[in-house]
PDB file of all heavy atoms in Angstrom:
ATOM      1  N   LEU R  84      -7.500 -20.929   5.591  1.00  0.00           N
ATOM      2  CA  LEU R  84      -8.699 -21.379   6.311  1.00  0.00           C
ATOM      3  C   LEU R  84      -8.985 -22.864   6.042  1.00  0.00           C
ATOM      4  O   LEU R  84      -9.478 -23.578   6.900  1.00  0.00           O
ATOM      5  CB  LEU R  84      -9.924 -20.555   5.870  1.00  0.00           C
ATOM      6  CG  LEU R  84     -10.009 -19.120   6.402  1.00  0.00           C
ATOM      7  CD1 LEU R  84     -11.107 -18.341   5.681  1.00  0.00           C
ATOM      8  CD2 LEU R  84     -10.257 -19.111   7.909  1.00  0.00           C
ATOM      9  N   LEU R 107     -12.954 -24.279  21.437  1.00  0.00           N
ATOM     10  CA  LEU R 107     -13.555 -24.392  20.103  1.00  0.00           C
ATOM     11  C   LEU R 107     -12.816 -23.570  19.056  1.00  0.00           C
ATOM     12  O   LEU R 107     -12.133 -24.120  18.214  1.00  0.00           O
ATOM     13  CB  LEU R 107     -15.042 -24.008  20.144  1.00  0.00           C
ATOM     14  CG  LEU R 107     -15.816 -24.174  18.843  1.00  0.00           C
ATOM     15  CD1 LEU R 107     -16.025 -25.649  18.535  1.00  0.00           C
ATOM     16  CD2 LEU R 107     -17.180 -23.495  18.914  1.00  0.00           C
ATOM     17  N   VAL R 108     -12.921 -22.249  19.135  1.00  0.00           N
ATOM     18  CA  VAL R 108     -12.332 -21.414  18.087  1.00  0.00           C
ATOM     19  C   VAL R 108     -10.798 -21.486  18.131  1.00  0.00           C
ATOM     20  O   VAL R 108     -10.140 -21.313  17.102  1.00  0.00           O
ATOM     21  CB  VAL R 108     -12.870 -19.965  18.201  1.00  0.00           C
ATOM     22  CG1 VAL R 108     -12.309 -19.233  19.391  1.00  0.00           C
ATOM     23  CG2 VAL R 108     -12.640 -19.189  16.925  1.00  0.00           C
ATOM     24  N   HIS R 115     -11.606 -29.978  18.553  1.00  0.00           N
ATOM     25  CA  HIS R 115     -12.497 -29.017  17.915  1.00  0.00           C
ATOM     26  C   HIS R 115     -13.765 -29.693  17.407  1.00  0.00           C
ATOM     27  O   HIS R 115     -14.884 -29.204  17.622  1.00  0.00           O
ATOM     28  CB  HIS R 115     -11.774 -28.294  16.762  1.00  0.00           C
ATOM     29  CG  HIS R 115     -12.718 -27.458  15.956  1.00  0.00           C
ATOM     30  ND1 HIS R 115     -13.320 -27.915  14.803  1.00  0.00           N
ATOM     31  CD2 HIS R 115     -13.218 -26.210  16.161  1.00  0.00           C
ATOM     32  CE1 HIS R 115     -14.132 -26.980  14.339  1.00  0.00           C
ATOM     33  NE2 HIS R 115     -14.081 -25.942  15.142  1.00  0.00           N
ATOM     34  N   ARG R 119     -17.458 -28.769  18.681  1.00  0.00           N
ATOM     35  CA  ARG R 119     -18.350 -28.147  17.695  1.00  0.00           C
ATOM     36  C   ARG R 119     -19.676 -28.917  17.633  1.00  0.00           C
ATOM     37  O   ARG R 119     -20.739 -28.329  17.540  1.00  0.00           O
ATOM     38  CB  ARG R 119     -17.660 -28.106  16.333  1.00  0.00           C
ATOM     39  CG  ARG R 119     -18.527 -27.461  15.284  1.00  0.00           C
ATOM     40  CD  ARG R 119     -17.793 -26.549  14.367  1.00  0.00           C
ATOM     41  NE  ARG R 119     -18.715 -26.043  13.370  1.00  0.00           N
ATOM     42  CZ  ARG R 119     -18.664 -24.844  12.842  1.00  0.00           C
ATOM     43  NH1 ARG R 119     -17.745 -24.009  13.199  1.00  0.00           N
ATOM     44  NH2 ARG R 119     -19.529 -24.473  11.927  1.00  0.00           N
ATOM     45  N   PHE R 126     -27.491 -23.990  17.779  1.00  0.00           N
ATOM     46  CA  PHE R 126     -27.564 -23.065  16.640  1.00  0.00           C
ATOM     47  C   PHE R 126     -28.298 -23.661  15.438  1.00  0.00           C
ATOM     48  O   PHE R 126     -28.077 -23.244  14.320  1.00  0.00           O
ATOM     49  CB  PHE R 126     -26.149 -22.631  16.230  1.00  0.00           C
ATOM     50  CG  PHE R 126     -25.474 -21.802  17.277  1.00  0.00           C
ATOM     51  CD1 PHE R 126     -24.663 -22.387  18.225  1.00  0.00           C
ATOM     52  CD2 PHE R 126     -25.661 -20.433  17.331  1.00  0.00           C
ATOM     53  CE1 PHE R 126     -24.040 -21.632  19.207  1.00  0.00           C
ATOM     54  CE2 PHE R 126     -25.065 -19.664  18.310  1.00  0.00           C
ATOM     55  CZ  PHE R 126     -24.250 -20.265  19.256  1.00  0.00           C
ATOM     56  N   ILE R 169     -27.670 -12.813  22.693  1.00  0.00           N
ATOM     57  CA  ILE R 169     -26.705 -13.799  23.209  1.00  0.00           C
ATOM     58  C   ILE R 169     -26.997 -14.092  24.688  1.00  0.00           C
ATOM     59  O   ILE R 169     -26.885 -15.231  25.146  1.00  0.00           O
ATOM     60  CB  ILE R 169     -25.233 -13.374  22.954  1.00  0.00           C
ATOM     61  CG1 ILE R 169     -24.282 -14.561  23.154  1.00  0.00           C
ATOM     62  CG2 ILE R 169     -24.786 -12.215  23.799  1.00  0.00           C
ATOM     63  CD1 ILE R 169     -24.464 -15.676  22.199  1.00  0.00           C
ATOM     64  N   LEU R 172     -29.768 -16.600  24.726  1.00  0.00           N
ATOM     65  CA  LEU R 172     -29.280 -17.944  24.382  1.00  0.00           C
ATOM     66  C   LEU R 172     -28.571 -18.597  25.565  1.00  0.00           C
ATOM     67  O   LEU R 172     -28.663 -19.798  25.779  1.00  0.00           O
ATOM     68  CB  LEU R 172     -28.265 -17.844  23.236  1.00  0.00           C
ATOM     69  CG  LEU R 172     -28.735 -18.018  21.819  1.00  0.00           C
ATOM     70  CD1 LEU R 172     -27.556 -17.916  20.873  1.00  0.00           C
ATOM     71  CD2 LEU R 172     -29.409 -19.374  21.630  1.00  0.00           C
ATOM     72  N   LEU R 254     -16.275 -16.933  25.011  1.00  0.00           N
ATOM     73  CA  LEU R 254     -16.331 -17.054  23.549  1.00  0.00           C
ATOM     74  C   LEU R 254     -17.693 -16.607  23.021  1.00  0.00           C
ATOM     75  O   LEU R 254     -17.785 -15.818  22.081  1.00  0.00           O
ATOM     76  CB  LEU R 254     -16.051 -18.504  23.125  1.00  0.00           C
ATOM     77  CG  LEU R 254     -16.397 -18.836  21.669  1.00  0.00           C
ATOM     78  CD1 LEU R 254     -15.477 -18.082  20.722  1.00  0.00           C
ATOM     79  CD2 LEU R 254     -16.302 -20.332  21.397  1.00  0.00           C
ATOM     80  N   LEU R 255     -18.757 -17.123  23.633  1.00  0.00           N
ATOM     81  CA  LEU R 255     -20.092 -16.811  23.127  1.00  0.00           C
ATOM     82  C   LEU R 255     -20.421 -15.338  23.322  1.00  0.00           C
ATOM     83  O   LEU R 255     -21.016 -14.698  22.454  1.00  0.00           O
ATOM     84  CB  LEU R 255     -21.135 -17.685  23.822  1.00  0.00           C
ATOM     85  CG  LEU R 255     -21.017 -19.151  23.426  1.00  0.00           C
ATOM     86  CD1 LEU R 255     -21.831 -20.033  24.353  1.00  0.00           C
ATOM     87  CD2 LEU R 255     -21.466 -19.364  21.973  1.00  0.00           C
ATOM     88  N   ALA R 258     -18.081 -13.564  20.563  1.00  0.00           N
ATOM     89  CA  ALA R 258     -18.457 -13.919  19.196  1.00  0.00           C
ATOM     90  C   ALA R 258     -19.876 -13.473  18.897  1.00  0.00           C
ATOM     91  O   ALA R 258     -20.205 -13.084  17.789  1.00  0.00           O
ATOM     92  CB  ALA R 258     -18.335 -15.431  19.007  1.00  0.00           C
ATOM     93  N   GLY R 259     -20.733 -13.512  19.928  1.00  0.00           N
ATOM     94  CA  GLY R 259     -22.142 -13.245  19.704  1.00  0.00           C
ATOM     95  C   GLY R 259     -22.494 -11.783  19.659  1.00  0.00           C
ATOM     96  O   GLY R 259     -23.547 -11.421  19.171  1.00  0.00           O
ATOM     97  N   THR R 262     -19.338  -8.724  16.964  1.00  0.00           N
ATOM     98  CA  THR R 262     -19.410  -8.885  15.517  1.00  0.00           C
ATOM     99  C   THR R 262     -20.723  -8.377  14.927  1.00  0.00           C
ATOM    100  O   THR R 262     -20.735  -7.585  13.996  1.00  0.00           O
ATOM    101  CB  THR R 262     -19.282 -10.380  15.225  1.00  0.00           C
ATOM    102  OG1 THR R 262     -20.254 -11.054  16.038  1.00  0.00           O
ATOM    103  CG2 THR R 262     -17.917 -10.914  15.581  1.00  0.00           C
ATOM    104  N   THR R 263     -21.831  -8.828  15.511  1.00  0.00           N
ATOM    105  CA  THR R 263     -23.140  -8.474  14.956  1.00  0.00           C
ATOM    106  C   THR R 263     -23.413  -6.982  15.161  1.00  0.00           C
ATOM    107  O   THR R 263     -24.011  -6.326  14.302  1.00  0.00           O
ATOM    108  CB  THR R 263     -24.237  -9.344  15.607  1.00  0.00           C
ATOM    109  OG1 THR R 263     -23.739 -10.681  15.685  1.00  0.00           O
ATOM    110  CG2 THR R 263     -25.498  -9.336  14.793  1.00  0.00           C
ATOM    111  N   LEU R 266     -21.735  -5.265  12.367  1.00  0.00           N
ATOM    112  CA  LEU R 266     -22.468  -5.450  11.112  1.00  0.00           C
ATOM    113  C   LEU R 266     -23.644  -4.465  11.038  1.00  0.00           C
ATOM    114  O   LEU R 266     -23.832  -3.770  10.031  1.00  0.00           O
ATOM    115  CB  LEU R 266     -22.964  -6.906  11.004  1.00  0.00           C
ATOM    116  CG  LEU R 266     -23.977  -7.204   9.906  1.00  0.00           C
ATOM    117  CD1 LEU R 266     -23.436  -6.847   8.528  1.00  0.00           C
ATOM    118  CD2 LEU R 266     -24.395  -8.682   9.928  1.00  0.00           C
ATOM    119  N   LEU R 299     -21.281  -7.093   4.684  1.00  0.00           N
ATOM    120  CA  LEU R 299     -20.321  -8.066   5.243  1.00  0.00           C
ATOM    121  C   LEU R 299     -19.030  -8.095   4.420  1.00  0.00           C
ATOM    122  O   LEU R 299     -17.934  -8.217   4.955  1.00  0.00           O
ATOM    123  CB  LEU R 299     -20.942  -9.468   5.261  1.00  0.00           C
ATOM    124  CG  LEU R 299     -21.947  -9.717   6.392  1.00  0.00           C
ATOM    125  CD1 LEU R 299     -22.825 -10.935   6.074  1.00  0.00           C
ATOM    126  CD2 LEU R 299     -21.229  -9.924   7.721  1.00  0.00           C
ATOM    127  N   PRO R 304     -17.094  -7.068   9.628  1.00  0.00           N
ATOM    128  CA  PRO R 304     -17.033  -6.822  11.076  1.00  0.00           C
ATOM    129  C   PRO R 304     -15.773  -7.410  11.710  1.00  0.00           C
ATOM    130  O   PRO R 304     -15.181  -6.803  12.589  1.00  0.00           O
ATOM    131  CB  PRO R 304     -18.285  -7.537  11.609  1.00  0.00           C
ATOM    132  CG  PRO R 304     -19.218  -7.621  10.437  1.00  0.00           C
ATOM    133  CD  PRO R 304     -18.346  -7.752   9.229  1.00  0.00           C
ATOM    134  N   VAL R 305     -15.373  -8.611  11.260  1.00  0.00           N
ATOM    135  CA  VAL R 305     -14.126  -9.197  11.769  1.00  0.00           C
ATOM    136  C   VAL R 305     -13.059  -8.953  10.709  1.00  0.00           C
ATOM    137  O   VAL R 305     -13.189  -9.401   9.573  1.00  0.00           O
ATOM    138  CB  VAL R 305     -14.272 -10.706  12.038  1.00  0.00           C
ATOM    139  CG1 VAL R 305     -12.951 -11.308  12.489  1.00  0.00           C
ATOM    140  CG2 VAL R 305     -15.344 -10.957  13.097  1.00  0.00           C
ATOM    141  N   LEU R 308      -7.906 -12.377  12.180  1.00  0.00           N
ATOM    142  CA  LEU R 308      -7.761 -13.433  13.201  1.00  0.00           C
ATOM    143  C   LEU R 308      -6.478 -14.203  12.877  1.00  0.00           C
ATOM    144  O   LEU R 308      -5.943 -14.077  11.774  1.00  0.00           O
ATOM    145  CB  LEU R 308      -8.974 -14.368  13.195  1.00  0.00           C
ATOM    146  CG  LEU R 308     -10.270 -13.790  13.786  1.00  0.00           C
ATOM    147  CD1 LEU R 308     -11.427 -14.764  13.584  1.00  0.00           C
ATOM    148  CD2 LEU R 308     -10.136 -13.438  15.262  1.00  0.00           C
ATOM    149  N   ARG R 310      -3.564 -17.545  12.879  1.00  0.00           N
ATOM    150  CA  ARG R 310      -3.258 -18.976  12.812  1.00  0.00           C
ATOM    151  C   ARG R 310      -1.775 -19.153  13.150  1.00  0.00           C
ATOM    152  O   ARG R 310      -0.971 -18.229  12.923  1.00  0.00           O
ATOM    153  CB  ARG R 310      -3.520 -19.542  11.410  1.00  0.00           C
ATOM    154  CG  ARG R 310      -4.985 -19.605  11.030  1.00  0.00           C
ATOM    155  CD  ARG R 310      -5.771 -20.595  11.883  1.00  0.00           C
ATOM    156  NE  ARG R 310      -7.123 -20.801  11.367  1.00  0.00           N
ATOM    157  CZ  ARG R 310      -8.196 -20.097  11.731  1.00  0.00           C
ATOM    158  NH1 ARG R 310      -8.073 -19.121  12.612  1.00  0.00           N
ATOM    159  NH2 ARG R 310      -9.378 -20.369  11.215  1.00  0.00           N
ATOM    160  N   PHE R 333      -9.343 -10.797   6.785  1.00  0.00           N
ATOM    161  CA  PHE R 333     -10.671 -11.035   6.195  1.00  0.00           C
ATOM    162  C   PHE R 333     -11.160  -9.790   5.446  1.00  0.00           C
ATOM    163  O   PHE R 333     -11.682  -9.885   4.334  1.00  0.00           O
ATOM    164  CB  PHE R 333     -11.698 -11.382   7.281  1.00  0.00           C
ATOM    165  CG  PHE R 333     -11.412 -12.671   8.001  1.00  0.00           C
ATOM    166  CD1 PHE R 333     -10.925 -12.670   9.304  1.00  0.00           C
ATOM    167  CD2 PHE R 333     -11.614 -13.895   7.384  1.00  0.00           C
ATOM    168  CE1 PHE R 333     -10.660 -13.851   9.976  1.00  0.00           C
ATOM    169  CE2 PHE R 333     -11.349 -15.084   8.047  1.00  0.00           C
ATOM    170  CZ  PHE R 333     -10.866 -15.064   9.343  1.00  0.00           C
ATOM    171  N   ALA R 360     -16.321 -13.145   5.194  1.00  0.00           N
ATOM    172  CA  ALA R 360     -16.590 -12.411   6.445  1.00  0.00           C
ATOM    173  C   ALA R 360     -16.856 -13.352   7.613  1.00  0.00           C
ATOM    174  O   ALA R 360     -16.602 -12.998   8.765  1.00  0.00           O
ATOM    175  CB  ALA R 360     -17.778 -11.473   6.246  1.00  0.00           C
ATOM    176  N   PHE R 361     -17.381 -14.552   7.329  1.00  0.00           N
ATOM    177  CA  PHE R 361     -17.637 -15.529   8.397  1.00  0.00           C
ATOM    178  C   PHE R 361     -16.554 -16.598   8.448  1.00  0.00           C
ATOM    179  O   PHE R 361     -16.746 -17.642   9.060  1.00  0.00           O
ATOM    180  CB  PHE R 361     -19.001 -16.193   8.197  1.00  0.00           C
ATOM    181  CG  PHE R 361     -20.182 -15.289   8.463  1.00  0.00           C
ATOM    182  CD1 PHE R 361     -21.079 -14.961   7.448  1.00  0.00           C
ATOM    183  CD2 PHE R 361     -20.411 -14.762   9.728  1.00  0.00           C
ATOM    184  CE1 PHE R 361     -22.180 -14.141   7.691  1.00  0.00           C
ATOM    185  CE2 PHE R 361     -21.510 -13.935   9.988  1.00  0.00           C
ATOM    186  CZ  PHE R 361     -22.390 -13.625   8.961  1.00  0.00           C
ATOM    187  N   GLY R 362     -15.417 -16.360   7.828  1.00  0.00           N
ATOM    188  CA  GLY R 362     -14.339 -17.340   7.815  1.00  0.00           C
ATOM    189  C   GLY R 362     -14.620 -18.440   6.804  1.00  0.00           C
ATOM    190  O   GLY R 362     -15.324 -18.223   5.804  1.00  0.00           O
ATOM    191  N   ILE R 365     -13.130 -25.538   8.777  1.00  0.00           N
ATOM    192  CA  ILE R 365     -13.769 -26.170   9.943  1.00  0.00           C
ATOM    193  C   ILE R 365     -14.199 -25.170  11.009  1.00  0.00           C
ATOM    194  O   ILE R 365     -15.037 -25.489  11.842  1.00  0.00           O
ATOM    195  CB  ILE R 365     -12.846 -27.240  10.587  1.00  0.00           C
ATOM    196  CG1 ILE R 365     -11.548 -26.604  11.108  1.00  0.00           C
ATOM    197  CG2 ILE R 365     -12.560 -28.373   9.623  1.00  0.00           C
ATOM    198  CD1 ILE R 365     -10.769 -27.523  12.031  1.00  0.00           C
ATOM    199  N   HIS R 366     -13.659 -23.963  11.003  1.00  0.00           N
ATOM    200  CA  HIS R 366     -14.046 -22.970  12.019  1.00  0.00           C
ATOM    201  C   HIS R 366     -15.088 -21.989  11.483  1.00  0.00           C
ATOM    202  O   HIS R 366     -15.349 -20.967  12.132  1.00  0.00           O
ATOM    203  CB  HIS R 366     -12.815 -22.202  12.522  1.00  0.00           C
ATOM    204  CG  HIS R 366     -11.887 -23.044  13.337  1.00  0.00           C
ATOM    205  ND1 HIS R 366     -12.097 -23.309  14.664  1.00  0.00           N
ATOM    206  CD2 HIS R 366     -10.752 -23.709  12.993  1.00  0.00           C
ATOM    207  CE1 HIS R 366     -11.123 -24.092  15.126  1.00  0.00           C
ATOM    208  NE2 HIS R 366     -10.295 -24.341  14.125  1.00  0.00           N
ATOM    209  N   TYR R 367     -15.664 -22.283  10.321  1.00  0.00           N
ATOM    210  CA  TYR R 367     -16.671 -21.374   9.745  1.00  0.00           C
ATOM    211  C   TYR R 367     -17.667 -20.972  10.842  1.00  0.00           C
ATOM    212  O   TYR R 367     -18.133 -21.813  11.620  1.00  0.00           O
ATOM    213  CB  TYR R 367     -17.409 -22.054   8.582  1.00  0.00           C
ATOM    214  CG  TYR R 367     -18.438 -21.139   7.948  1.00  0.00           C
ATOM    215  CD1 TYR R 367     -18.052 -20.174   7.027  1.00  0.00           C
ATOM    216  CD2 TYR R 367     -19.782 -21.215   8.305  1.00  0.00           C
ATOM    217  CE1 TYR R 367     -18.985 -19.309   6.469  1.00  0.00           C
ATOM    218  CE2 TYR R 367     -20.718 -20.354   7.750  1.00  0.00           C
ATOM    219  CZ  TYR R 367     -20.310 -19.408   6.830  1.00  0.00           C
ATOM    220  OH  TYR R 367     -21.234 -18.544   6.280  1.00  0.00           O
ATOM    221  N   CYS R 368     -17.993 -19.696  10.860  1.00  0.00           N
ATOM    222  CA  CYS R 368     -18.785 -19.130  11.967  1.00  0.00           C
ATOM    223  C   CYS R 368     -20.061 -19.935  12.255  1.00  0.00           C
ATOM    224  O   CYS R 368     -20.937 -20.075  11.404  1.00  0.00           O
ATOM    225  CB  CYS R 368     -19.171 -17.691  11.644  1.00  0.00           C
ATOM    226  SG  CYS R 368     -20.208 -16.964  12.926  1.00  0.00           S
ATOM    227  N   LEU R 369     -20.135 -20.400  13.479  1.00  0.00           N
ATOM    228  CA  LEU R 369     -21.297 -21.170  13.917  1.00  0.00           C
ATOM    229  C   LEU R 369     -22.523 -20.278  14.053  1.00  0.00           C
ATOM    230  O   LEU R 369     -23.660 -20.734  13.922  1.00  0.00           O
ATOM    231  CB  LEU R 369     -20.942 -21.767  15.290  1.00  0.00           C
ATOM    232  CG  LEU R 369     -21.656 -22.994  15.766  1.00  0.00           C
ATOM    233  CD1 LEU R 369     -21.639 -24.106  14.740  1.00  0.00           C
ATOM    234  CD2 LEU R 369     -20.987 -23.475  17.049  1.00  0.00           C
ATOM    235  N   GLY R 370     -22.295 -19.002  14.304  1.00  0.00           N
ATOM    236  CA  GLY R 370     -23.408 -18.078  14.531  1.00  0.00           C
ATOM    237  C   GLY R 370     -23.839 -17.338  13.269  1.00  0.00           C
ATOM    238  O   GLY R 370     -24.685 -16.437  13.356  1.00  0.00           O
ATOM    239  N   LEU R 373     -27.560 -17.035  12.721  1.00  0.00           N
ATOM    240  CA  LEU R 373     -28.154 -16.169  13.744  1.00  0.00           C
ATOM    241  C   LEU R 373     -27.827 -14.696  13.460  1.00  0.00           C
ATOM    242  O   LEU R 373     -28.707 -13.830  13.520  1.00  0.00           O
ATOM    243  CB  LEU R 373     -27.637 -16.573  15.134  1.00  0.00           C
ATOM    244  CG  LEU R 373     -28.106 -15.708  16.294  1.00  0.00           C
ATOM    245  CD1 LEU R 373     -29.621 -15.748  16.440  1.00  0.00           C
ATOM    246  CD2 LEU R 373     -27.452 -16.157  17.605  1.00  0.00           C
ATOM    247  N   ALA R 374     -26.569 -14.426  13.111  1.00  0.00           N
ATOM    248  CA  ALA R 374     -26.168 -13.047  12.820  1.00  0.00           C
ATOM    249  C   ALA R 374     -26.985 -12.504  11.642  1.00  0.00           C
ATOM    250  O   ALA R 374     -27.411 -11.341  11.641  1.00  0.00           O
ATOM    251  CB  ALA R 374     -24.676 -12.995  12.498  1.00  0.00           C
ATOM    252  N   GLU R 377     -30.447 -11.644  12.838  1.00  0.00           N
ATOM    253  CA  GLU R 377     -30.440 -10.408  13.641  1.00  0.00           C
ATOM    254  C   GLU R 377     -30.345  -9.178  12.734  1.00  0.00           C
ATOM    255  O   GLU R 377     -31.060  -8.197  12.925  1.00  0.00           O
ATOM    256  CB  GLU R 377     -29.261 -10.407  14.621  1.00  0.00           C
ATOM    257  CG  GLU R 377     -29.452 -11.359  15.777  1.00  0.00           C
ATOM    258  CD  GLU R 377     -28.285 -11.278  16.762  1.00  0.00           C
ATOM    259  OE1 GLU R 377     -27.988 -10.178  17.247  1.00  0.00           O
ATOM    260  OE2 GLU R 377     -27.674 -12.322  17.036  1.00  0.00           O
TER     261      GLU R 377
HETATM  262  C1  HEM G 502     -21.750 -10.502  11.720  1.00  0.00           C
HETATM  263  C2  HEM G 502     -21.540 -11.308  12.724  1.00  0.00           C
HETATM  264  C3  HEM G 502     -20.434 -12.297  12.820  1.00  0.00           C
HETATM  265  C4  HEM G 502     -19.243 -12.363  12.141  1.00  0.00           C
HETATM  266  C5  HEM G 502     -18.715 -11.420  11.068  1.00  0.00           C
HETATM  267  C6  HEM G 502     -18.545 -13.536  12.637  1.00  0.00           C
HETATM  268  C7  HEM G 502     -17.313 -13.958  12.176  1.00  0.00           C
HETATM  269  C8  HEM G 502     -16.702 -15.142  12.546  1.00  0.00           C
HETATM  270  C9  HEM G 502     -15.468 -15.627  11.971  1.00  0.00           C
HETATM  271  C10 HEM G 502     -14.640 -14.912  10.923  1.00  0.00           C
HETATM  272  C11 HEM G 502     -15.219 -16.835  12.556  1.00  0.00           C
HETATM  273  C12 HEM G 502     -14.038 -17.765  12.222  1.00  0.00           C
HETATM  274  C13 HEM G 502     -13.009 -17.828  13.301  1.00  0.00           C
HETATM  275  C14 HEM G 502     -11.737 -18.516  12.847  1.00  0.00           C
HETATM  276  O1  HEM G 502     -11.653 -19.002  11.717  1.00  0.00           O
HETATM  277  O2  HEM G 502     -10.779 -18.550  13.643  1.00  0.00           O
HETATM  278  C15 HEM G 502     -16.274 -17.093  13.517  1.00  0.00           C
HETATM  279  C16 HEM G 502     -16.341 -18.198  14.319  1.00  0.00           C
HETATM  280  C17 HEM G 502     -17.298 -18.367  15.296  1.00  0.00           C
HETATM  281  N1  HEM G 502     -18.419 -17.582  15.509  1.00  0.00           N
HETATM  282 FE1  HEM G 502     -18.922 -15.924  14.487  1.00  0.00          FE
HETATM  283  N2  HEM G 502     -19.308 -14.142  13.600  1.00  0.00           N
HETATM  284  C18 HEM G 502     -20.478 -13.429  13.742  1.00  0.00           C
HETATM  285  C19 HEM G 502     -21.528 -13.690  14.604  1.00  0.00           C
HETATM  286  C20 HEM G 502     -21.562 -14.727  15.491  1.00  0.00           C
HETATM  287  C21 HEM G 502     -22.626 -14.986  16.432  1.00  0.00           C
HETATM  288  C22 HEM G 502     -23.915 -14.168  16.551  1.00  0.00           C
HETATM  289  C23 HEM G 502     -22.248 -16.082  17.154  1.00  0.00           C
HETATM  290  C24 HEM G 502     -22.945 -16.809  18.276  1.00  0.00           C
HETATM  291  C25 HEM G 502     -23.934 -16.409  18.957  1.00  0.00           C
HETATM  292  C26 HEM G 502     -20.973 -16.523  16.656  1.00  0.00           C
HETATM  293  C27 HEM G 502     -20.278 -17.613  17.125  1.00  0.00           C
HETATM  294  C28 HEM G 502     -19.121 -18.102  16.576  1.00  0.00           C
HETATM  295  C29 HEM G 502     -18.425 -19.284  17.086  1.00  0.00           C
HETATM  296  C30 HEM G 502     -18.876 -20.156  18.257  1.00  0.00           C
HETATM  297  C31 HEM G 502     -17.295 -19.461  16.283  1.00  0.00           C
HETATM  298  C32 HEM G 502     -16.241 -20.559  16.393  1.00  0.00           C
HETATM  299  C33 HEM G 502     -16.533 -21.678  15.437  1.00  0.00           C
HETATM  300  C34 HEM G 502     -15.443 -22.739  15.418  1.00  0.00           C
HETATM  301  O3  HEM G 502     -14.318 -22.475  15.820  1.00  0.00           O
HETATM  302  O4  HEM G 502     -15.748 -23.858  14.990  1.00  0.00           O
HETATM  303  N3  HEM G 502     -20.575 -15.683  15.644  1.00  0.00           N
HETATM  304  N4  HEM G 502     -17.182 -16.054  13.476  1.00  0.00           N
END
Side-chain angles (χ1 to χ4, degrees):
L84 286 169
L107 184 71
V108 72
H115 171 265
R119 181 139 177 146
F126 294 93
I169 195 64
L172 266 182
L254 166 67
L255 291 167
T262 52
T263 317
L266 168 58
L299 283 162
V305 177
L308 287 174
R310 291 294 189 269
F333 296 106
F361 289 117
I365 62 166
H366 291 279
Y367 181 81
C368 177
L369 204 51
L373 177 61
E377 287 183 55

